[in-house]
Amino acid sequence: MAGQVFAYIVHKNGVADDTAMELLAAAAKIDAGVPVTAVVTGAGAELDGVCNSLTASYPEVWKIDNPALAYPNAEIIRKALVNILPADAIVLLPYDTFGLDLGPGLSIKLDSAYVADAVDFEGVDGSRLKVVRQEYSGMVSTHVLCDLSKGAVLTCRPGSFQPVDNTTAAGKVVDKSPDAGDLTVKRRYIQVVEAEKGDVDITKSDVLVSVGRGIEDQENIELAEDLAQSMGAVVSCSRPIVDAKWLEKARQVGTSGQTVKPKVYLALGISGSFQHLGGIKGAPFIVAVNKNPKAPIFQVADVGIVEDILEFIPELAEKVKESK
Amino acid sequence: MEILVCVKRVPDTAENEIEVNRDGSDIERDDLVYSVNEWDNYAVEEAIRIRDKVGGSVTVATVGDEDTEEVLRREMAMGADNGILLSDAAFAGADGRGIAAILKTAVEKGKYDLVLTGALADDGAGQVGGMLAALLDWPYASVVNSIEILDDSKIKVGREIEGGNHEINEIELPCVLSIQTGINEPRYVGIRGIRKVASVEIPVYGAADLGLSAEAVGARVSRADYFVPVLGAGAEILEGSMEEKIDKLIELLKAKGGLK
């Protein structure tokens, strides 16, 4: 087994992200026997609170406390991490917009291997870690071999590793702040601009009629609206529909949009990327309609229908109206 | 402003069903339709808009064999001024780090203020932009969904973060940004536009031209195989005629509270 394993902990408002426990589980899949060190950056009392809470699960928690780290600017965090981590460190990060910002550059500065968006680890053979990941929006999976001998930075897909429920670590917090070094960078964080509120709050609806790329044309959005109206539902959508500006951003379900908790979710012409599925919580009854029988959405749906939604939606709307 | 946009030729997932080939060594490549990585079109569009506003030029670069030249021409038909093809047998099998190392040498051959990549591509890693920035020691921001040029030395960028929120940063030039879809609406490229640039010469640089050793592009990460995962039960697929499927679905929706 190669170097020491570190998990970078994302936190907000004094609370560690769900990925904190998932990374611990991911580390155990690399080597069940190895102690994992949590690394937490931030400032002041909020940071201390997060560090103390993590000692229940992590045997060691490295903290870097600096006013410059009050907001998680990946460029600054990278500098601090490069200064405190050993050269052969195996560093785990969440694969999200923060991990995308930090991970690739960190791997270069640590001169380590990099694998993004791991969904599983299948053990180490010699110095090579076998990583499972997906390509083509989840249509195929691959095994990737990652050379750990000079260290590695690995980003893990949120929700893919069953969190470890360990609260008996009785770990200690180690203050690494003095070792963080020079933290001046050429990217300055200014502010977070909150998402605009739309005219409809899709998070409040029990039934969502959600459309994706399969709707093909802006004019066809009407079909979904008609169906939703007949069902007493609300129209939501996946990312490409917002990118095309056919529906407003507030209608988007997914990690970069809204998190919804409906009772019934009708996914129409949505392939089912994990970013989209990440916005659906509360285990709703999912119906997927897609003309591609191999669409990943069918793996997570309760009921699937292989049809072209442009033919299917009007007929369904008609029948729903009749059934009333 | 001198802008370089790094683009990639990928199988078009809207036009193809991606399947694993018989021995799992690759995806089935027979009859695949290729196109420019979707994110890269947004990056090129953004570069063109910046150039049209503040002046300068847009160069598109890609790593690949002679077939990949077509994506450079497509982006030049969109409005990019120049194309560069980085091609060498030694580049085959390069991992993200290797691709970034190759692109770094191309960046250093020019005098760029801004380098753009797509935020993601077909493999979903989102790695080359951040690696390139770190190799160049330039600042970086990922998943960028707005760019405002402040002056010759700095720009303001918005990044997409979770929950539909945006993180605003000020970044010094030169820098590298990875561009998210939705930042703009990429212009349509017709067959006539492609014809116009069909005879434009596109320089090709190999490892020797770029001063790259085999070690610099050597992979530490390699794909062992492709496979189709065995998952849970998956969806119950409704069979029958359209009418039968709809009747069954309405029954299910009623039972689950999906009809009001």
Side-chain angles (χ1 to χ4, degrees), chain A residues 12 71-73 75 78 95-98 100-102 104-117 122 128 130 132-137 139-147 150-151 185-196 205-207 213 230-233 239-240 243-245 249 254-258 263-264 266 275 285 287 289 292-294 297-308 311-312 315-316 319-320 323-324, chain B residues 10-11 13-14 16-20 26-27 29 32 38-39 42 95 97 100 119-143 145 150 156-157 159-174 178 180-185 215 219-229 231-243 245-247 249-250 252-254 256-260:
Chain A
K12 200 176 175 184
Y71 183 86
N73 177 334
E75 298 276 288
R78 187 181 85 200
Y95 178 77
D96 55 16
T97 57
F98 173 75
L100 278 167
D101 222 25
L102 174 64
L106 180 64
S107 78
I108 293 295
K109 292 299 180 188
L110 288 172
D111 195 19
S112 333
Y114 183 68
V115 179
D117 192 22
E122 292 185 354
R128 295 200 300 177
K130 199 171 186 184
V132 179
R133 54 188 313 282
Q134 298 181 335
E135 296 190 8
Y136 303 102
S137 314
M139 285 195 268
V140 294
S141 293
T142 66
H143 287 109
V144 165
L145 299 176
C146 173
D147 182 0
K150 292 178 85 179
V185 296
K186 293 177 175 173
R187 170 174 146 194
R188 185 170 66 86
Y189 162 73
I190 300 174
Q191 62 171 333
V192 167
V193 178
E194 302 275 332
E196 280 176 35
S205 182
D206 279 344
V207 187
R213 233 186 258 271
S230 71
M231 293 172 64
R239 177 169 193 117
D243 283 346
K245 313 235 176 344
K249 180 83 181 168
T255 51
S256 64
Q258 305 285 327
K263 292 199 177 87
V264 174
L266 205 51
Q275 290 95 339
F285 181 71
V287 178
V289 186
N292 177 4
K294 297 212 169 100
I297 189 78
F298 288 123
Q299 291 161 11
V300 297
D302 297 281
V303 167
I305 294 171
V306 181
E307 287 285 352
D308 184 341
E311 291 166 28
F312 186 83
E315 292 216 23
L316 176 60
K319 285 268 189 172
V320 169
S323 76
K324 285 190 170 173
Chain B
V10 300
T13 51
N16 306 290
E17 269 183 34
I18 306 294
E19 291 182 40
V20 178
D26 197 357
I27 57 169
R29 301 242 173 216
L32 270 189
E38 187 183 354
W39 283 262
Y42 288 88
D95 59 5
R97 161 192 293 271
L120 292 176
D122 52 345
D123 61 3
Q127 60 190 352
V128 170
M131 290 177 167
L132 175 59
L135 288 171
L136 289 164
D137 253 323
W138 290 7
Y140 174 65
S142 65
V143 223
N145 59 10
L150 297 174
K156 197 191 244 189
V157 305
R159 292 186 61 235
E160 183 175 286
I161 55 173
E162 274 63 30
N165 301 330
H166 309 283
E167 175 196 287
I168 312 296
N169 293 270
E170 198 173 279
I171 301 191
E172 288 177 34
L173 297 174
S178 84
Q180 177 62 301
T181 57
I183 186 173
N184 52 41
E185 288 174 68
E215 203 207 353
R220 295 187 204 176
V221 176
S222 59
R223 213 182 267 112
D225 63 7
Y226 279 94
F227 65 101
V228 177
L231 292 158
E236 177 204 341
I237 302 293
L238 303 186
E239 307 284 357
S241 68
M242 175 86 94
E243 203 173 342
K245 291 176 190 172
I246 288 176
D247 287 343
L249 177 60
I250 288 181
L252 284 165
L253 287 174
K254 278 182 176 161
K256 300 290 178 183
L259 290 182
K260 284 177 201 161

Side-chain angles (χ1 to χ4, degrees), chain A residues 223-308:
Chain A
L223 302 175
E225 278 165 353
D226 186 44
L227 172 63
Q229 198 174 19
S230 71
M231 293 172 64
V234 162
V235 173
S236 58
C237 65
S238 63
R239 177 169 193 117
I241 304 303
V242 172
D243 283 346
K245 313 235 176 344
W246 295 347
L247 284 170
E248 55 187 352
K249 180 83 181 168
R251 299 261 186 178
Q252 185 196 331
V253 174
T255 51
S256 64
Q258 305 285 327
T259 300
V260 296
K261 282 188 180 174
K263 292 199 177 87
V264 174
Y265 191 81
L266 205 51
L268 305 172
I270 290 175
S271 67
S273 72
F274 83 91
Q275 290 95 339
H276 181 72
L277 301 174
I280 307 171
K281 303 284 182 196
F285 181 71
I286 300 178
V287 178
V289 186
N290 202 301
K291 65 181 170 191
N292 177 4
K294 297 212 169 100
I297 189 78
F298 288 123
Q299 291 161 11
V300 297
D302 297 281
V303 167
I305 294 171
V306 181
E307 287 285 352
D308 184 341

